[in-house]
Amino acid sequence: MNRDIFIVDGARTPFLKSRNTPGPFAAADLATAAGAALLARQRFAPDQLDEVILGCASPSPDEVNIGRVVALRMGCGQKVPGWTVMRNCASGMQALDSAIANIQAGRSQLVLAGGVDALSRAPLLLSDAMVRWLSGWYATKTVGEKLAALRRFKPGYLAPVIGIMKGLTDPIVGQLMGQTAENLAHRFGISRAEMDAFAARSHARVLAAREAGHFGAHFGELVPLIDRDGTVYADDDGVRADSTPENLAKLKPFFDRKYGRVTAGNSSQITDGAAWLVLASSEAVERHGLNPLGRIADSQWAGLDPAQMGLGPVHAATPILQRHGLGLADIDAWEINEAFAAQVIACLRAWDDADYCRDELGLADACGRLDEAKLNLDGGAIAQGHPVGASGARIVLHLLNVLRRQGLKRGVASICIGGGQGGAMLVEALP
Amino acid sequence: MSPNFQHLELVRKRDPDGLAWLYLDRAGASTNTLSRELLDELAAAFAQLEADPPKGLIIASAKPAGFVAGADIEEFTRIDSAQGARDLVQRGWELFNRLARLQFPTLALIRGHCLGGGLELALACRYRIVVDEPGTKLALPEVMLGIVPGWGGMQRLPELIGPAAALDLMLTGKSLDARRAHKLGLADECVPPRVMENAARMLVRSGQPPRALPFMHKLLNGPLKAVVANKARQQVAAKARREHYPAPYAILDIWQRYGGNALAVPADDPASLEAIFRSPTAKNLVRVFFLQERLKGFGKDSDFALRHVHVVGAGVMGGDIAALCAFAGMTVTLQDQSVERIAPAVARAAKFFERKFRGDKRQVRFALDRLIPDPQGHGAARADLVIEAIFENLDAKRALFADIERRAKPDAVLATNTSSLRIEDIATALADPRRLVGIHFFNPVALMPLVEVVRGEASDDEALRRAAAFVRRIDKLPLPVKSAPGFLVNAVLGPYMLEALRCVEEGLSPETVDAALVAFGMPMGPVELVDTVGLDIAVAAGKALAGEAAAPPRRLMELVTAGQLGRKSGQGYYRWADGKAQKGAVGSIPSGLAERIVAPLVAAARRCVDHDVVADADLADAGVIFGTGFAPFTGGPLYYSPDSGKTPSGELSAGRLGAVVNAG
């Protein structure tokens, strides 16, 4: 990379678990609240941003270019462009990478980039049959035609298409995301007990980090939300102290019913949330007198078999390590987004598998073992939730906070992407 | 400008449809008011058009701000006789009748404010189009100046929208926005600015009959007038006494018995122009209007670009100030010790925005977006103005300002909302004490129009100007005061409430005392006011004002000791239920009771003038009226007071007022 990309600051909302009803905040509300609070603590004014880039996998129909909507709502002014990027689960990381590209090209100096999704507000869609019937109904003119149309109506037309199930199904291989995780569990022989143990550890780590204040005021990562009734949402609310391996073992497989191993308990939660980072060039740092927290030293995207999408982090992170002459052990901290416990465990197995590294990555030998003490130190999406578009930005932000807290230098944040991709970023903390 | 007009432009040539466009453009003024000269030119323009009739006439404003703001108030303050008043009414009445009689269709294209005589002009047209913008406001506010809409409003408005809605507008002076005006039938169309000329052109040529009143409204405006009038009279009586406020009663009488024609009322009738002219109320209300204009002028000389306000303290006061700032379009960071303390302020703000934006969901959302909870207080470093509204503790405030001064922008205004601490004592915590000013709000912030801008001994002039500009920006009235215990408003209220409590001590019931002062013209009795403020607050304020030595009334101390603190605890001098004082029967009111209780207030106001807490007696009156609700029809405590020993300021021309006609 020819120009330094500085991380000046970042913030996110609490991640709010979807409870089968529209959540208290729309996606734009979440992104606006976190972003306005973040901007209010900067040394520059919101209208000094060069652009706002927001990743979002499912903006609602009234905020399709949600990046622009939110830029205006945060008070960036009419002259700051805003746009939206979409790369499924990595939309937030894509926003960061798009900001990097524009800073690298010299088009932008100071960018607010992040991700958001409010999955609890994913729409219910009309079935194709219902849409066809409705278009016929609107064309009727006479009472006779209307009666005829009514006779053709079938109650089954009313069954909605659940938007989020569409989004979580791979359109190429026709498998649910959870079924791709089952593929990995099968391939690497990952047991249900291993997955549940991983999930329980995620919950325990989030609770410990919260107890220690690692999300809160000191790093400013979490911006509490207040709704119109004055209710405070201060913490990620999907975390459970009773998510022990024993309790998780009681859950039924969700995706491959009856015979599968992936349950709701060892998968990430369906959640609403937003995360932002302020990225700056060295010129912007100098001009505004900023104190950057870190750098994004490199980034990488990779493609792979959609049915094995959970291995995306292996394919995206490995080239970064190669470019910098680093081994797995040279990385001080890792954030691998926990879409599924099976999927993260599969990544570790793949790196440690000589055949996989040779056949799939073109390496001479296995990469080795990734020390789990360095992995997702404060838990991850299984406990906190996975508001699809937000997660890629959250793990970069939180990785930097982990590095700074521990006085460490180098970390990798990586995420698997529905559709068979992976994204990764190499992050360095500044003293 | 047409060659022969100073205040109008009449455009006839080149119009493809043969229409005439008459633009109102009063020379040398930013808004249109209907001066005598302008009315004369209108008459001349109508004469030209009568001689050579166009296919239609469209009347619009050439000003960027508004259609017509009303009559020229300055002009009618110079009226010095009842006959002069009658002449002025007659001039407008006949001119607008002439407009209504024109043989070709006429249309008023209303964009921005359309008030008083301006609305009466529009009512005389066959059609009205309102432009759907936030600035469009239609009203007949004459009653607020103690006068009546004598240029046809009392006749035409009930004919157009029915007497119930018309009387409501005329008796309260309240304004309608464009959509409400259209819904009520006051306007034929409500259109966005991009199509307003087209709409005017099409409607005036449409041949469409003028809007007809529905049958029921015709009955109410005809045979059933008495029913409507009696009901309205009862509603007026509940709010204002005829001896204090004759104008609303006159409006009802003139509509009911004289077809809305004020000129038809015989001079000996209590609703006559002569009777209104004789009453001091109109001249006093016009005086209050000018006092208000004077307060609005403070801060005008500052070019303070306010974008971001940081409020410290999310209690009722701080939270409401923050909401007001966000409502006015500023970015607001609201700081308190935890987000949980900020949350109730956000909930209150949401309700406030929903009320103020009347269901415009997007505006509500934008305002909420601008109100940013800031438990860490980051916003202080970015704000153009920092207001502190934390609890009244000197050490806490000193520590806070010492920290804020270090972090704030060098040119940010630093302000305290303290009511009982000395600004000077807080200011010495700053490296530069000149930066600190007082911006003192009153509860409830959303309703109280006055804000005291307090000059500490060291306060910098520019900071004070900016503070006043800020107060205007949130549409409040800034009153410059000097740092002194209680400033002006609390300094006059304290002795007044104390005297009232002494009367209770002497055996009068709270109900009797309060009734006497309500009859005097106060919006709320003093004992109920003590209950509303909170008995503990009253005791603390009393100590701050009078020193520890002054003995508070024994009953007051007993109630405070018993934890009976007034409205907030459910029991004080009154028992409170559902936010209302539960009052018993009123005893017989001793003569001179109200005067006895008001006397200490007047004396305190006088002291404030003598000690330069306020610059002059007019500002003292303005502050007491807008800060306490002191009976406006009196013109203010010092103006009304027979023993004040000072004549009112001549510059307002108030002594010669006797206006009875239209005003904006």
Side-chain angles (χ1 to χ4, degrees):
Chain A
M1 286 195 177
N2 41 11
R3 291 184 200 219
D4 278 338
I5 304 295
F6 291 103
I7 301 175
V8 175
D9 199 356
R12 69 173 176 96
T13 66
F15 282 8
L16 305 178
K17 185 178 164 73
S18 167
R19 306 199 184 266
N20 294 324
T21 178
F25 303 97
D29 297 338
L30 293 164
T32 300
L38 176 62
L39 290 173
R41 67 190 194 210
Q42 304 309 313
R43 301 184 73 135
F44 56 86
D47 61 4
Q48 291 177 304
L49 288 168
D50 290 308
E51 58 182 325
V52 172
I53 311 174
L54 187 56
C56 185
S58 59
S60 67
D62 57 354
E63 50 194 31
V64 177
N65 183 5
I66 189 171
R68 173 64 172 168
V69 171
V70 169
L72 288 170
R73 286 182 58 184
M74 291 186 301
C76 297
Q78 297 178 350
K79 292 185 177 168
V80 175
W83 51 299
T84 308
V85 295
M86 157 61 178
R87 200 195 278 253
N88 277 354
C89 318
S91 298
M93 187 174 278
Q94 178 62 54
L96 300 180
D97 202 38
S98 297
I100 291 168
N102 281 357
I103 294 172
Q104 296 257 327
R107 292 172 149 202
S108 289
Q109 307 292 337
L110 190 58
V111 183
L112 181 66
V116 68
D117 261 303
L119 299 182
S120 73
R121 297 201 172 193
L124 296 180
L125 309 170
L126 296 178
S127 65
D128 286 351
M130 183 68 190
V131 172
R132 270 194 296 275
W133 181 84
L134 271 177
S135 88
W137 170 259
Y138 289 132
T140 58
K141 295 203 172 62
T142 66
V143 175
E145 286 171 357
K146 284 191 196 300
L147 283 173
L150 281 175
R151 269 198 299 277
R152 284 195 299 273
F153 180 81
K154 296 196 179 79
Y157 292 174
L158 289 174
V161 175
I162 300 169
I164 195 162
M165 293 307 280
K166 285 262 177 194
L168 293 179
T169 305
D170 188 285
I172 303 299
V173 297
Q175 296 177 9
L176 285 165
M177 290 300 128
Q179 290 170 327
T180 73
E182 292 280 4
N183 292 339
L184 300 182
H186 170 69
R187 177 171 183 177
F188 291 98
I190 303 163
S191 72
R192 166 77 187 267
E194 285 175 287
M195 296 183 202
D196 286 348
F198 186 95
R201 190 179 71 188
S202 184
H203 283 273
R205 285 183 172 184
V206 170
L207 288 171
R210 178 190 295 172
E211 187 73 16
H214 292 333
F215 302 121
H218 181 57
F219 287 99
E221 178 176 320
L222 251 185
V223 170
L225 302 174
I226 301 172
D227 72 11
R228 290 180 185 200
D229 301 325
T231 307
V232 174
Y233 302 82
D235 286 308
D236 305 320
D237 67 0
V239 192
R240 295 172 62 145
D242 61 353
S243 284
T244 58
E246 299 72 41
N247 282 337
L248 289 169
K250 294 173 194 160
L251 297 173
K252 290 205 170 76
F254 184 82
F255 301 95
D256 284 329
R257 308 239 173 204
K258 202 164 169 187
Y259 302 114
R261 284 169 271 198
V262 179
T263 68
N266 57 39
S267 306
S268 58
Q269 300 171 22
I270 293 175
T271 300
D272 302 347
W276 288 108
L277 285 87
V278 177
L279 300 185
S281 66
S282 52
E283 291 97 311
V285 165
E286 199 166 315
R287 187 188 319 145
H288 299 291
L290 307 176
N291 298 312
L293 309 176
R295 290 193 324 127
I296 298 180
D298 204 350
S299 50
Q300 177 72 44
W301 301 101
L304 68 159
D305 175 6
Q308 311 272 325
M309 70 92 202
L311 294 169
V314 174
H315 292 253
T318 306
I320 291 183
L321 298 177
Q322 289 179 301
R323 270 204 292 277
H324 296 262
L326 300 168
L328 290 177
D330 297 321
I331 299 301
D332 300 321
W334 288 85
E335 286 285 331
I336 297 178
N337 191 52
E338 298 171 353
F340 301 94
Q343 162 263 325
V344 181
I345 297 169
C347 287
L348 305 190
R349 298 273 172 93
W351 266 316
D352 202 21
D353 183 321
D355 290 343
Y356 191 92
C357 288
R358 202 167 42 238
D359 299 343
E360 305 283 348
L361 302 173
L363 302 175
D365 204 351
C367 291
R369 295 179 70 92
L370 192 156
D371 180 0
E372 291 194 47
K374 295 179 179 177
L375 173 66
N376 298 357
L377 208 65
D378 297 329
I382 288 174
Q384 288 173 305
H386 181 18
V388 177
S391 294
R394 180 192 71 80
I395 57 174
V396 172
L397 171 63
H398 190 69
L399 174 63
L400 183 59
N401 287 344
V402 167
L403 292 172
R404 285 165 52 79
R405 184 173 93 219
Q406 309 246 331
L408 302 172
K409 184 158 194 308
R410 210 158 30 205
V412 170
S414 187
I415 189 164
C416 66
I417 306 169
Q421 302 189 72
M425 289 187 162
L426 177 64
V427 175
E428 289 176 8
L430 290 173
Chain B
M1 289 283 139
S2 314
N4 46 344
F5 292 132
Q6 296 291 312
H7 308 289
L8 301 176
E9 186 182 11
L10 183 57
V11 183
R12 302 203 50 181
K13 288 177 195 154
R14 297 192 314 272
D15 188 280
D17 300 320
L19 299 178
W21 294 74
L22 182 59
Y23 294 101
L24 309 176
D25 194 5
R26 185 172 175 189
S30 60
T31 55
N32 287 317
T33 48
L34 299 176
S35 63
R36 178 177 192 138
E37 279 184 29
L38 198 151
L39 292 180
D40 288 345
E41 290 193 2
L42 272 178
F46 293 161
Q48 279 188 23
L49 293 163
E50 282 160 352
D52 177 14
K55 290 266 168 48
L57 170 67
I58 295 165
I59 303 179
S61 166
K63 302 290 188 198
F67 183 72
V68 176
D72 183 334
I73 300 183
E74 298 278 356
E75 213 168 72
F76 75 68
T77 57
R78 291 195 287 274
I79 296 173
D80 54 4
S81 70
Q83 186 55 44
R86 194 166 269 277
D87 289 347
L88 181 51
V89 171
Q90 187 155 8
R91 196 180 313 135
W93 170 261
E94 286 177 356
L95 179 69
F96 291 168
N97 281 346
R98 184 174 181 182
L99 168 59
R101 280 195 309 267
L102 289 175
Q103 291 304 304
F104 43 84
T106 54
L107 180 145
L109 176 53
I110 301 166
R111 181 183 196 182
H113 52 246
C114 174
L115 309 176
L119 181 54
E120 293 178 298
L121 185 156
L123 286 168
C125 294
R126 185 181 298 181
Y127 307 114
R128 281 148 301 280
I129 289 179
V130 287
V131 178
D132 188 10
E133 284 182 329
T136 298
K137 294 266 180 267
L138 291 78
L140 290 177
E142 285 81 355
V143 73
M144 295 160 98
L145 296 179
I147 55 179
V148 301
W151 288 353
M154 290 182 288
Q155 177 201 345
R156 292 194 178 93
L157 191 62
E159 285 173 354
L160 188 65
I161 65 172
L167 289 174
D168 184 38
L169 287 173
M170 292 191 292
L171 296 175
T172 61
K174 71 183 174 195
S175 65
L176 298 174
D177 61 22
R179 288 177 198 193
R180 291 267 303 144
H182 180 231
K183 216 172 158 191
L184 278 177
L186 178 45
D188 301 276
E189 293 285 357
C190 174
V191 301
R194 55 187 175 270
V195 299
M196 62 182 187
E197 286 97 354
N198 249 352
R201 189 178 285 282
M202 290 169 72
L203 181 58
V204 80
R205 295 178 65 240
S206 66
Q208 180 180 313
R211 187 177 179 275
L213 202 55
F215 177 70
M216 191 60 210
H217 286 291
K218 274 190 184 149
L219 279 184
L220 294 174
N221 203 33
L224 298 181
K225 261 187 175 178
V227 179
V228 179
N230 287 339
K231 185 149 179 271
R233 219 168 261 125
Q234 282 169 14
Q235 286 169 350
V236 170
K239 290 193 180 138
R241 293 158 188 253
R242 186 159 196 160
E243 64 268 29
H244 296 160
Y245 295 100
Y249 294 90
I251 290 170
L252 276 169
D253 288 349
I254 296 169
W255 166 71
Q256 186 188 356
R257 293 192 279 127
Y258 300 100
N261 181 1
L263 298 166
V265 186
D268 59 351
D269 189 298
S272 69
L273 295 171
E274 287 76 9
I276 296 172
F277 182 81
R278 270 196 310 275
S279 146
T281 295
K283 71 176 181 185
N284 287 344
L285 290 181
V286 171
R287 167 184 159 76
V288 172
F289 172 82
F290 281 111
L291 291 176
Q292 180 175 336
E293 292 300 298
R294 187 169 166 205
L295 294 183
K296 283 182 180 173
F298 291 114
K300 257 194 182 148
D301 49 351
S302 164
D303 55 356
F304 191 21
L306 248 176
R307 293 172 56 190
H308 182 164
V309 175
H310 183 70
V311 181
V312 188
V316 170
M317 190 66 106
D320 288 0
I321 294 169
L324 210 55
C325 294
F327 175 71
M330 289 170 254
T331 297
V332 186
T333 38
L334 177 56
Q335 179 183 355
D336 209 314
Q337 288 163 3
S338 69
V339 69
E340 285 75 17
R341 282 170 181 258
I342 301 171
V346 172
R348 265 201 328 282
K351 288 209 176 65
F352 173 69
F353 298 150
E354 275 159 19
R355 199 171 64 241
K356 297 289 275 187
F357 286 118
R358 292 185 179 189
D360 184 338
K361 288 179 182 163
R362 278 178 308 144
Q363 292 303 330
V364 172
R365 200 179 63 193
F366 296 147
L368 281 168
D369 288 345
R370 290 191 291 267
L371 177 55
I372 304 168
D374 185 12
Q376 269 89 41
H378 295 297
R382 283 273 316 286
D384 305 303
L385 174 88
V386 180
I387 304 182
E388 163 275 315
I390 65 170
F391 55 101
E392 293 279 76
N393 176 291
L394 183 60
D395 291 338
K397 291 193 193 233
R398 286 173 56 88
L400 180 71
F401 275 108
D403 171 59
I404 285 174
E405 186 190 26
R406 274 193 295 276
R407 295 194 294 125
K409 296 199 293 191
D411 59 344
V413 175
L414 308 184
T416 171
N417 182 49
T418 187
S419 57
S420 58
L421 299 172
R422 294 182 69 231
I423 307 250
E424 293 78 9
D425 293 342
I426 304 172
T428 52
L430 278 72
D432 181 2
R434 290 175 304 171
R435 294 188 70 179
L436 188 70
V437 300
I439 300 183
H440 182 226
F441 286 81
F442 299 94
N443 245 329
V445 170
L447 296 179
M448 296 299 287
L450 192 81
V451 174
E452 290 172 320
V453 175
V454 188
R455 172 192 289 274
E457 266 169 33
S459 298
D460 172 59
D461 286 346
E462 178 57 22
L464 288 162
R465 266 194 296 278
R466 289 177 164 216
F470 160 71
V471 173
R472 285 305 300 139
R473 179 76 197 279
I474 54 174
D475 203 21
K476 297 286 181 193
L477 301 172
L479 176 72
V481 296
K482 202 181 70 174
S483 171
F487 312 128
L488 171 74
V489 171
N490 287 343
V492 305
L493 275 180
Y496 162 74
M497 294 195 288
L498 182 63
E499 191 63 24
L501 297 186
R502 285 201 180 115
C503 292
V504 175
E505 212 82 348
E506 290 168 16
L508 288 173
S509 72
E511 286 86 349
T512 309
V513 171
D514 282 350
L517 274 302
V518 170
F520 175 84
M522 296 304 211
M524 176 189 279
V527 184
E528 188 177 345
L529 184 60
V530 171
D531 263 12
T532 306
V533 169
L535 273 57
D536 49 339
I537 306 281
V539 169
K543 277 182 187 156
L545 291 179
E548 299 283 344
R554 195 189 323 155
R555 171 131 179 82
L556 176 63
M557 297 315 291
E558 284 167 5
L559 288 167
V560 171
T561 309
Q564 299 184 338
L565 304 180
R567 179 182 171 159
K568 60 187 167 191
S569 74
Q571 175 76 50
Y573 281 89
Y574 293 106
R575 193 171 64 75
W576 287 77
D578 303 327
K580 286 205 168 98
Q582 306 300 303
K583 292 186 184 175
V586 175
S588 77
I589 299 175
S591 81
L593 178 61
E595 288 73 12
R596 170 188 163 182
I597 293 172
V598 167
L601 180 153
V602 174
R606 162 73 33 224
R607 273 197 305 280
C608 285
V609 176
D610 291 344
H611 296 156
D612 297 324
V613 175
V614 284
D616 57 49
D618 279 344
L619 285 184
D621 279 348
V624 176
I625 290 170
F626 292 111
T628 74
F630 187 93
F633 70 89
T634 62
L638 297 179
Y639 184 79
Y640 121 94
S641 164
D643 53 23
S644 67
K646 195 171 175 183
T647 49
S649 158
E651 71 192 275
L652 295 178
S653 316
R656 285 172 284 131
L657 286 184
V660 264
V661 280
N662 287 273

